[in-house]
Amino acid sequence: AAVAPPDVTVTDGKELPLLQIGSGPPAQEVPVSWVVLEPPALRRGQCAVVDVAGHPVLIAVPAGATSSGDSGQNQVAYADVCPACNGSLAGAELKGDVLSCPSCSAAFDVRRAGAAVGDTNRTGRHLAPLPLVQRAGGWRLALPRTPPRTPVGVSR
């Protein structure tokens, strides 16, 4: 069981699989834990790395997101690891919908599932999205039931 900080509650109950839909061979089920959290208060065009049950998570609100007055509307979540350099995204700059890694300047579109911007070599490099949904009881984030990956240059 994950140890959660005071503002995060790990849900109990049945293990819920997370299925990825894509154009490749059928994906294997990834066991996840759904955690309830209070996302950070971010405005459009802002992002932050937060600790969620021991996993560093990047939460971002793209500048092009529509706002309905709810500070949590249109937030997206990604694992805090740059796929280009394996560094942390803490301190990343979000311009419009494009997030730039503070270590290597690789750019990713946070509204297009974290796809690399300008990926002319078609490497398929992208941020690792984490499902973040709003339910009647608040926000829920799906975290893989694996140890968190520590970005290069970050000691835990």
Side-chain angles (χ1 to χ4, degrees), residues 1 3 11 16 34 46 48 53 55 71 87 92 94 99 107 116 118 122-123 129 134 140 142-143 153 155:
V3 177
T11 59
L16 300 173
W34 286 91
Q46 291 185 320
H55 289 262
S71 63
L94 183 61
L99 179 95
R122 304 235 183 244
T123 61
Q134 188 173 24
R140 288 179 170 65
L143 291 173
S155 59

Side-chain angles (χ1 to χ4, degrees), residues 8-56:
V8 176
T9 305
V10 177
T11 59
D12 292 327
K14 183 179 157 188
E15 180 177 303
L16 300 173
L18 177 64
L19 300 177
Q20 180 176 344
I21 300 172
S23 60
Q28 295 182 9
E29 289 185 3
V30 176
V32 298
S33 294
W34 286 91
V35 295
V36 176
L37 75 149
E38 182 65 36
L42 298 172
R43 293 184 313 265
R44 287 185 287 180
Q46 291 185 320
C47 62
V49 173
V50 297
D51 182 82
V52 181
H55 289 262

Side-chain angles (χ1 to χ4, degrees), residues 50-71:
V50 297
D51 182 82
V52 181
H55 289 262
V57 175
L58 174 88
I59 307 282
V61 180
T66 57
S67 178
S68 64
D70 180 358
S71 63

